[in-house]
Amino acid sequence: MLKPVLDLINLIPRDLILPPASLFLVIAFGLVLWRWRPRAGRIVAGTGLATLALLSTTAGARLFVAPLERLTAPLQAPERAGAQAIVVLAAGRVQHAPEYDNLDIPDYITLARLRYAAHLQRRTGLPVLVSGGNGSSGVDPDTDDRAWTKADAMAAALRDDFGVPVKWIEGRSRDTAENAAFSAALLRADGIQRILLVTDAMHMPRARTAFERAGLDVVSAPTMFFSRQPQPLHAWVPSPEGMRRSWYALYELIGIAWYRLRAAGA
């Protein structure tokens, strides 16, 4: 009974649910309402504007970032974790980078993950799997966009820029659940059961759940902790980075709730 409702909700573009677009819609609704109900319109529009301003600050974003990051912890002593492989997940890409002969390259979020994966590989000597296709959740990439995947770009960066070999390239996945399912199939074929999973601290709770559901033993290896940074006065000044962190944290919190609803409706 729950599944058809969830499928219908899944059709709503995520950018309409998340800030800043959702808050602009709230403000627009308040301005329209103002014409007939001035007091109610002012409250709605003002609330939307105040929330937009708050979420545009890194201090405001911390209200959502910190609870997420408390669900994981930095990895201690990776050499003693008993893992058999390192799995690093893709984020985004820069398409047709002119300085790299117009090849797609990892975006800065993926690069942070790759840097930590390279650090772990040097400490542990474990083989590396990179995971990420060019599609999005439920949507396949165009036919002419399948030859060079996010995973291919990640493997090239690890080999060429970090001097780290890559054993497995998983380039079919379109979302975190498929990252887990397709990576698990490759790893099990080589007898790998326990992994170090590398992704952002905010993404780790959802990613770990997906990989455990795929049947792997997961040792979390999160990177990029933002909530532990100092909060100077200018952290309350709106900035693009503040909104980026708010968007990312809310996306992950909604994603965690979505996984739980999906599991309940299965």
Side-chain angles (χ1 to χ4, degrees), residues 62-75:
R62 192 176 183 277
L63 297 172
F64 301 97
V65 173
L68 261 179
E69 293 188 347
R70 281 197 293 268
L71 297 176
T72 189
L75 176 61

Side-chain angles (χ1 to χ4, degrees), residues 31 35 120 249:
L31 293 176
R35 185 173 181 179
L120 291 174

Side-chain angles (χ1 to χ4, degrees), residues 22-235:
S22 59
L23 293 174
F24 282 124
L25 289 175
V26 170
I27 293 169
F29 175 72
L31 293 176
V32 171
L33 183 61
W34 198 326
R35 185 173 181 179
W36 292 280
R37 302 286 296 275
R39 187 170 183 273
R42 285 195 299 270
I43 291 173
V44 171
T47 299
L49 183 60
T51 305
L52 179 65
L54 177 65
L55 295 186
S56 296
T57 69
T58 55
R62 192 176 183 277
L63 297 172
F64 301 97
V65 173
L68 261 179
E69 293 188 347
R70 281 197 293 268
L71 297 176
T72 189
L75 176 61
Q76 304 297 326
E79 306 89 342
R80 298 197 295 272
Q84 301 164 281
I86 298 168
V87 176
V88 54
L89 305 184
R93 57 179 171 157
V94 178
Q95 293 182 264
H96 309 303
E99 72 275 33
Y100 287 93
D101 297 323
N102 286 318
L103 282 176
D104 296 353
I105 60 174
D107 68 356
Y108 65 94
I109 300 174
T110 307
L111 275 177
R113 300 176 185 182
L114 292 174
R115 179 180 179 180
Y116 187 47
H119 170 76
L120 291 174
Q121 198 280 332
R122 292 193 179 96
R123 289 185 62 173
T124 64
L126 293 173
V128 175
L129 180 150
V130 292
S131 176
N134 290 347
S136 57
S137 184
V139 180
D140 290 325
D142 294 335
T143 303
D144 59 357
D145 192 28
R146 300 180 184 184
W148 182 256
T149 66
K150 293 175 187 175
D152 291 315
M154 294 164 70
L158 281 172
R159 291 167 178 156
D160 300 340
D161 302 326
F162 294 99
V164 169
V166 174
K167 184 170 182 178
W168 303 277
I169 299 177
E170 185 289 293
R172 294 190 297 143
S173 55
R174 300 169 297 176
D175 54 31
T176 303
E178 290 187 353
N179 286 148
F182 298 153
S183 297
L186 286 173
L187 294 169
R188 277 197 293 265
D190 283 341
I192 305 295
Q193 179 62 34
R194 188 171 175 84
I195 63 167
L196 298 182
L197 180 61
V198 177
T199 188
D200 298 358
M202 281 192 279
H203 183 222
M204 183 57 73
R206 188 163 61 91
R208 180 182 182 118
T209 296
F211 275 77
E212 288 178 339
R213 287 179 180 171
L216 294 172
D217 297 334
V218 178
V219 178
S220 298
T223 187
M224 301 302 287
F225 287 83
F226 291 106
S227 62
R228 302 178 180 220
Q229 296 179 344
Q231 295 291 307
L233 188 60
H234 63 73

